[in-house]
Amino acid sequence: ILDMSLRFIEEDGNDYQVLGIAYDLTRVRQLEKMQKDFVSNVSHELKTPVTSLLGFTETLLDGAKEDPETLTQFLEIMQKDALRLQQLIQEILQLSRDGKNISYNDQEVSLHPFVQEILRSYRKTIKDKHLTIEILGDETITYVTKYELFYPIVKNLIENAIQYSQIDGTITIDFGFTDMFYFIVNDSGIGISLEDQERIFERFYRVDKARSRHSGGTGLGLSIVHNYTELLGGTVMIDSHLGLGSTFTVRLPIK
Ligand code: ADP
C-alpha cells in the first residue's frame, strides 16, 4: 500500500491538501489466480475418473454385463477409478486444512514401529520391485508431535521413495535429533532435475504426468508435505540428481 499526501497553497491563499492511497494488487491477483488454477486443476482431475466410470457403467448396462469376463474386467477398472477418486478427495481435504482452526493434540510417536507400519502397506510393491529398505534411526527414538500432521508427511515421502525407485533399488530412512528433530528419506531412484525441484512442491505438479497417474499419483503429496511441515514450524529440503536418486530432509522443532 502506498500512502501519499500533497499539500499546496493556491493563489487565493487557501491551504489545500490532497490525499492519495494506492493499493498494489499484484499479490491479491496472484492469490486469485492460484485459487482459480487450483479449482480448475481439481475439476480436471476429478472429471477423468468420473467420465471413465460413467462410460463403463453405460457399456455394462447396454448389455456388456452379460459376458462374465467383460463384467469382471470392467468392474476392476471401475474399482480403480473409484479408489483414485477417494484418494483425490482425501488429499484435497488434507490440503484445505490450514491448521488455524483445528487444534491437534500432541502425541508421542515411536519412530521404528511407526515407519514399519507405513512400510507394511507398501509390501507388495517393495517385494515386486525387489527393494532393500534400511531404517537407520535408533530403535528407541520417540518424537512428540501433532500426529495428524506428522503422519501424512512421512507417509508421502516414503510412498514417493518407493514409487520412484527402480527394480533392486535401496531406500534408507533415518531419524533422530540434533538441535531439531530430523527425518530423512533417501532413495536410489529416478531422481529429479534442478528445474523440476523448484516446482515439485506445487499443487498438482508432476514431472511425468503419465507415469505419476499410472502409479496412482495425484501430484498433491509433496504440497501436503510442504504445508504440514510449515504448520509444524519446520522445513523440508530436497537434494536430488537425475538418474541417481533423491534425499528429502524434514526438520521439525523439538518441544
Ligand atoms: P505424485 O502423487 O505424482 O507422486 P507428489 O506431489 O508426491 O505427487 O510429487 C510430485 C512429483 O515429484 C512426482 O510426480 C514426481 O515426478 C516427483 N517426485 C516426488 N518424489 C520423488 C522421488 N522420490 N523421486 C523422483 N521423483 C519424485
Side-chain angles (χ1 to χ4, degrees), residues 143-173:
Y143 174 57
V144 177
T145 185
K146 296 178 180 4
Y147 187 86
E148 289 87 347
L149 299 175
F150 183 64
Y151 172 79
I153 297 175
V154 173
K155 188 204 147 240
N156 278 306
L157 291 181
I158 292 182
E159 181 176 291
N160 281 347
I162 294 171
Q163 210 84 271
Y164 300 103
S165 275
Q166 283 144 327
I167 309 285
D168 287 330
T170 302
I171 294 171
T172 47
I173 299 167

Side-chain angles (χ1 to χ4, degrees), residues 1 6 9 19 22 35 57 60 71 101 118 120 127 139-140 152 163 187 194 209 211 216-217 219 234 251:
I1 301 172
L6 212 66
I9 300 169
L19 258 180
Q35 241 158 12
T57 37
L60 285 177
L71 180 63
N101 305 319
I118 293 177
R120 211 163 295 143
K127 194 166 166 250
E139 289 258 359
T140 56
Q163 210 84 271
D187 68 64
L194 266 181
K209 269 198 185 229
R211 182 189 175 123
R251 286 179 204 283

